Amino acid sequence: MAGPVVRAVRQTTLASEAMARTDRVAGGGVALAPRMVTIYDVARQAGVAPSTVSRAFSRPGRVNAATAERIRRVADDLGYRANPVARALSTARTNMIAVVILDIANPFFAEIVRGAQAAAAAAGYTVLLADAQESDRLERSALERTVTAVDGIVLAGSRMSDSAIRMISKQKPVVVLNRAVVDAPCVVTDNPRGARLALEHLAALGHEHVTYLAGPEASWADGTRWRSLRESAPALSLRVRRIGPFTPDVPGGVQAAEQFAAAPTSAVVAYNDQLAIGLVRGLAARGIRVPGDVSLIGFDNIAAAELVTPGLTTVAAPLYAQGATATRHVLAMIEGGRGHTGAPAVLPVRLVVRDSTAERHGVGRPRPVGAAAALPMAR
Amino acid sequence: MAGPVVRAVRQTTLASEAMARTDRVAGGGVALAPRMVTIYDVARQAGVAPSTVSRAFSRPGRVNAATAERIRRVADDLGYRANPVARALSTARTNMIAVVILDIANPFFAEIVRGAQAAAAAAGYTVLLADAQESDRLERSALERTVTAVDGIVLAGSRMSDSAIRMISKQKPVVVLNRAVVDAPCVVTDNPRGARLALEHLAALGHEHVTYLAGPEASWADGTRWRSLRESAPALSLRVRRIGPFTPDVPGGVQAAEQFAAAPTSAVVAYNDQLAIGLVRGLAARGIRVPGDVSLIGFDNIAAAELVTPGLTTVAAPLYAQGATATRHVLAMIEGGRGHTGAPAVLPVRLVVRDSTAERHGVGRPRPVGAAAALPMAR
DNA sequence: GTGAAAGCGCTAACAC
DNA sequence: GTGTTAGCGCTTTCAC
C-alpha cells in the first residue's frame, strides 16, 4: 500500500511549490514553461478528487452537473489545459493519424489532405502530414518515425511495395488511396468509368485515334487507366496507343509533346492534369494548338485545370472525398477494430468538359490551316 | 517503500501474460496491437535493469559497449520499438514542432515546408503541418489542438493578430516567418532590396512608369514591398502607382488585368508570382502581350515561375532556406532557452531574370503594332 | 456520483 | 557502468 503515501508526498510538494512558482512568475523572471497546471491543481482548488476532474473532461455526464460546472470554472481560472501526452500514455491513443503523400508540391494532394483533415478534425483527430518527396527511402523513414506516434495511417500516395505496405498494416490501421493492395483496405476512383467517359466524349467529337500519355510505370492508377482505355476503345470504334512513361508533372508534359509531335493523333488522353498542361505548352511551342489541332483530356481535375488556357477537359476524381473517405475508414478501424479488407471502395468520377476538346478538325466548320492540316494520323 | 512491490507485481504479471499473448498471436487470432514490447521485456531478456535499456537507446556511450550490443540484439529479436509517448511524458519533450501555413494549395509554402521538414529531421524532430486554410478561426483551433502537443511552432503564414501571436509565444517557442512581430523572433526576406532590384532592372530596360499589383491588405510582405518600391523609385527617375488589393492567386491576377488594362503602364511588379501569372492570362485575353507590351516582375520565385510562358522574371526569396532557418531558430529556443527577440533575421533575395521583362516597346527594334501601340501612359 | 489507488512506458536522479 | 526508485499527468477499475 505505498501508492497513497507517494501521492500524499507529491501533493504536499505541489502545494508549496505552486506558491513559490506563482511568486516567481509574478516577479517577472520565468516566462516560458512555468510548470503546467494539472488535474491535481484543479482538484485541490475545487475540493474534489483528481479522478473527478478527469471525468469532468473526458466523460461529461458521468459527473454531477453542479460539480462539473464548478470544476470547469476552476479549471478556467487556473488556465488548465489537458496534457494530450499523458492522456495518450494511459489510453494508448494519441488521437493523431498520419497522412503520407508523395509530394507536397503536387497540387493533386492538396485537396486530398483537406478532406482528410476535415474528416479527422470532425472526429477529434489531428493529422500528421508526412511528405515522402517521391522517395521510397524518405517515405520509410518518415513512417518509421511516425507509426509509433499515431493511431492510424492514410497512404495517399506511396512508392512502397505492396508487401511493405502489408507489413505496416499489421502494426497499425492503414488505408491505401488510389491503389489496390491485396489484404489492405483501399479507396480508389472509378478509373474504368473515367476512361470510358473520356473516350465516349472524344468519339462523339469525331475523333478516331487516341494517344495515351503514360504516367509512372509504378503507378497503379496509370495501369488501370491505360488498361481501361484499351478495353473501352473497340466498342467505340476507336484506336488507342500509348507513349511514355513520362514524369507526371508539367515538364513531363512538355517532354511528351516532343515525342507526340513526331507522330500525332487528333486526340490525347493524359495520365493526369499536370502532364496535360505540360503537353499544351509543348505543343504550343511547335505551333500545334489545343483544341484546334489536338483535343486533350486529363485526369484528376486539379484546381489548375480550370485556370489554364484553354480550360482543361478532365476526368474529375473526387479528391476531397477521397481524403475524407480514406480517413473515415482508418478512424473506423481505430475505433471499431479491423476494416473490411475485401474489395476496394470505389469512388465515382465524372467528366468535366472545358475547352481543350473540340470536334475533330473542326468538322462542319472551315478546316484549319497550318500545322493542323499537315498532321498525319498515326497507325 | 511501495514502489518495488508495485514493480514486482507488474513484472510477474508481464512474465505470464507475455507467454499467453504470444500463444494467442501464434494461434492466428489477434493481429493488431498484440501489446507492445517494452524496455521491461528487453531488460528481463537481456538480464539487465530497465534503466540500462533506456540508456542504451537514449544515451549510447553511457553504457558498456558489450552490454549495449547485447541489448540492441535482444531488442531487435523482440521487435522492440521505443514508445515516443511515454518518453514525451517523462521528458516533457515530444520532439515535434508545428508548422502553420495559410494554405496547403499555395505552392509558396511547399518549399518552405520542405526546408522546415529537413531542418527538423536533421535534429530528430517531426513536423506537424497545420493548414489554416486562410482562416483566422481555423488557424486558432488548429493551434489550440496543437500547442500542447508540440515543443515549438513556426508560423509560416498567419492571419492572427500580433497580440494573439505574442500570446502563444508566451506558452511555447514561436518563430514568425515573413512578418515582423514585436517581441517575437522573426525571419523575413529582404523585401526592400528585392524591390530595388526589380526597379533597377525595369529602369535599365527603359521603363518609366511602374504599376504595383497589391496583395492582401493584412499582409506584412505586401506593405513592405509597396513601401520599398515607393522609396526606391525617385532615385531611378521612376514613377510608381499601386492598384488592388487582389487575392494573391491566379484568379486574382486575371481580375487585376481588367483593372490594369483600363489604365496600363509599360511595366508591372506584382505582389507575388501567382498574381503575376494570372495577370499574363488576363492580359492575353485582351490581346496585350508579356513582355511585348508589358514587362512583368513577380515575387517569391515559386516553382511554377519557370514553367509558365513566358518564364517569369521574379524576385527570388530563398523559400527552402526560410523554412529551414525558422525551424532552426525554434529548435534553438527549445534546446537553449529564449530566442533573440531583437531585430528580425533577414534573408537575402536575388532577381531571377527570365522572359517576362523586355525593353520598353522594343526600343531599338521595330515598334510593336496593335494593342501595345495604343497603350496610354497612366499619370 | 465520487474517491483511492494502480499503472501506461519511459527517464533521471541517486546510490553503489 | 549499472541498478533502484520515484515520478511525468492522465485514465480507470474498484470500492463505497
Side-chain angles (χ1 to χ4, degrees):
Chain A
M1 299 293 108
V5 176
V6 172
R7 196 49 88 193
V9 170
R10 195 232 283 240
Q11 300 221 15
T12 11
T13 311
L14 282 187
S16 45
E17 269 200 3
M19 298 294 283
R21 301 269 192 164
T22 309
D23 286 347
R24 242 193 290 152
V25 171
V30 183
L32 234 42
R35 199 185 68 72
M36 290 312 272
V37 3
T38 73
I39 50 171
Y40 289 94
D41 302 323
V42 178
R44 192 162 3 89
Q45 192 76 15
V48 296
S51 52
T52 306
V53 176
S54 171
R55 287 188 199 102
F57 285 105
S58 47
R59 227 172 284 280
R62 298 262 303 161
V63 69
N64 181 297
T67 328
E69 177 49 31
R70 181 157 40 94
I71 291 176
R72 290 210 121 68
R73 265 208 18 258
V74 172
D76 253 36
D77 290 354
L78 265 45
Y80 168 74
R81 317 272 310 145
N83 180 332
V85 174
R87 177 185 309 226
L89 183 57
S90 68
T91 59
R93 285 284 172 75
T94 60
N95 278 316
M96 300 206 300
I97 63 164
V99 173
V100 181
I101 61 177
L102 277 181
D103 179 8
I104 195 183
N106 185 336
F108 172 77
F109 293 108
E111 277 302 295
I112 291 180
V113 170
R114 286 255 175 81
Q117 238 148 14
Y125 279 72
T126 300
V127 167
L128 185 51
L129 233 213
D131 178 12
Q133 294 188 55
E134 299 277 0
S135 145
D136 178 4
R137 203 180 53 70
L138 281 172
E139 183 176 353
R140 283 164 176 283
S141 78
L143 233 32
E144 192 97 0
R145 255 196 277 96
T146 301
V147 256
T148 44
V150 299
D151 298 336
I153 300 165
V154 172
L155 290 178
S158 182
R159 288 267 181 267
M160 294 192 303
S161 66
D162 280 22
S163 63
I165 292 178
R166 272 191 287 272
M167 206 71 241
I168 53 168
S169 90
K170 291 213 158 51
Q171 302 177 46
K172 285 280 160 79
V174 171
V175 169
V176 183
L177 210 49
N178 287 314
R179 172 167 166 179
V181 176
V182 179
D183 285 342
C186 303
V187 173
V188 302
T189 47
D190 196 347
N191 284 312
R193 177 140 209 279
R196 203 172 341 112
L197 290 173
L199 289 189
E200 284 170 359
H201 177 59
L202 292 173
L205 290 171
H207 296 276
E208 293 170 350
H209 292 77
V210 179
T211 300
Y212 174 66
L213 262 42
E217 292 193 296
S219 163
W220 179 85
D222 179 76
T224 59
R225 284 168 193 177
W226 167 235
R227 184 155 24 81
S228 308
L229 244 23
R230 266 206 333 227
E231 290 172 359
S232 302
L236 296 161
S237 307
L238 247 35
R239 299 178 65 178
V240 296
R241 63 154 186 186
R242 174 179 192 271
I243 63 174
F246 303 102
T247 60
D249 48 25
V250 175
V254 173
Q255 187 193 326
E258 185 179 340
Q259 193 171 334
F260 172 76
T265 54
S266 70
V268 172
V269 173
Y271 162 70
N272 73 3
D273 291 344
Q274 286 108 296
L275 209 44
I277 292 171
L279 184 77
V280 173
R281 297 251 159 77
L283 292 181
R286 293 179 157 68
I288 304 177
R289 290 157 310 149
V290 173
D293 305 321
V294 172
S295 282
L296 174 60
I297 300 183
F299 264 91
D300 297 340
N301 193 30
I302 62 174
E306 71 170 332
L307 300 176
V308 293
T309 314
L312 188 64
T313 295
T314 186
V315 177
L319 268 18
Y320 187 95
Q322 275 178 27
T325 304
T327 299
R328 277 191 291 264
H329 276 226
V330 253
L331 258 29
M333 291 169 70
I334 292 170
E335 316 277 3
R338 321 247 358 140
H340 62 118
T341 315
V346 178
L347 264 34
V349 298
R350 62 183 219 283
L351 184 73
V352 177
V353 178
R354 297 206 180 89
D355 309 316
S356 66
T357 43
E359 293 199 348
R360 180 180 165 208
H361 286 189
V363 172
R365 291 179 231 136
R367 291 190 58 107
V369 291
L375 291 184
M377 276 296 99
R379 298 246 173 109
Chain B
M1 302 287 109
V5 177
V6 171
R7 198 47 92 191
V9 170
R10 194 229 287 236
Q11 300 222 15
T12 11
T13 310
L14 283 186
S16 45
E17 269 199 3
M19 298 294 283
R21 302 267 192 166
T22 309
D23 287 346
R24 242 195 289 154
V25 171
V30 183
L32 234 42
R35 198 184 70 71
M36 291 312 272
V37 176
T38 74
I39 51 171
Y40 290 93
D41 303 323
V42 178
R44 190 161 6 87
Q45 192 77 13
V48 297
S51 54
T52 305
V53 177
S54 171
R55 286 188 200 105
F57 286 105
S58 47
R59 229 174 282 283
R62 298 262 302 162
V63 68
N64 182 297
T67 328
E69 179 49 30
R70 180 157 40 95
I71 291 175
R72 288 209 122 70
R73 265 209 16 260
V74 172
D76 253 36
D77 290 353
L78 265 44
Y80 167 75
R81 317 272 309 148
N83 180 332
V85 173
R87 177 186 308 226
L89 183 57
S90 69
T91 58
R93 286 285 172 76
T94 61
N95 278 320
M96 300 208 299
I97 64 164
V99 172
V100 181
I101 62 176
L102 278 181
D103 178 9
I104 195 182
N106 185 335
F108 172 77
F109 292 108
E111 277 302 295
I112 292 181
V113 170
R114 286 255 174 80
Q117 239 149 13
Y125 280 73
T126 300
V127 167
L128 185 51
L129 234 211
D131 178 11
Q133 293 189 54
E134 299 277 0
S135 145
D136 178 4
R137 201 180 53 70
L138 282 172
E139 182 176 353
R140 282 165 176 284
S141 78
L143 233 33
E144 192 97 1
R145 255 195 277 98
T146 301
V147 256
T148 44
V150 300
D151 299 336
I153 299 165
V154 172
L155 290 178
S158 181
R159 289 267 181 266
M160 296 192 302
S161 65
D162 280 23
S163 62
I165 292 177
R166 271 190 289 270
M167 204 73 242
I168 53 167
S169 90
K170 292 213 157 50
Q171 302 177 44
K172 286 279 161 82
V174 171
V175 169
V176 183
L177 210 49
N178 286 314
R179 173 168 166 180
V181 176
V182 178
D183 286 340
C186 303
V187 173
V188 301
T189 46
D190 196 347
N191 284 311
R193 176 138 210 279
R196 201 170 344 111
L197 290 173
L199 290 187
E200 283 171 359
H201 177 59
L202 292 173
L205 290 171
H207 296 276
E208 293 170 349
H209 293 75
V210 178
T211 300
Y212 174 66
L213 263 41
E217 292 192 297
S219 162
W220 178 85
D222 179 76
T224 57
R225 284 168 193 179
W226 168 234
R227 183 155 25 81
S228 308
L229 244 22
R230 266 207 333 228
E231 290 172 0
S232 302
L236 295 161
S237 307
L238 247 35
R239 301 178 63 179
V240 295
R241 66 157 184 185
R242 176 180 190 269
I243 64 173
F246 303 102
T247 59
D249 47 26
V250 174
V254 173
Q255 187 192 325
E258 186 179 338
Q259 192 171 334
F260 172 76
T265 54
S266 71
V268 172
V269 173
Y271 163 70
N272 72 3
D273 291 344
Q274 286 108 296
L275 209 43
I277 292 170
L279 184 77
V280 173
R281 296 250 159 78
L283 292 182
R286 292 179 158 68
I288 305 176
R289 289 157 312 148
V290 173
D293 305 321
V294 172
S295 280
L296 173 61
I297 300 183
F299 263 92
D300 297 340
N301 192 31
I302 62 174
E306 71 169 333
L307 299 176
V308 294
T309 315
L312 187 63
T313 295
T314 185
V315 177
L319 267 19
Y320 187 94
Q322 276 178 27
T325 304
T327 299
R328 276 192 292 263
H329 276 225
V330 253
L331 258 30
M333 291 169 71
I334 292 169
E335 316 277 3
R338 320 249 356 143
H340 62 117
T341 314
V346 178
L347 265 33
V349 297
R350 62 182 218 282
L351 184 72
V352 177
V353 179
R354 297 205 178 88
D355 308 318
S356 66
T357 43
E359 294 200 346
R360 180 180 165 207
H361 286 189
V363 173
R365 290 178 233 139
R367 291 190 58 105
V369 292
L375 291 184
M377 278 294 101
R379 298 257 170 97

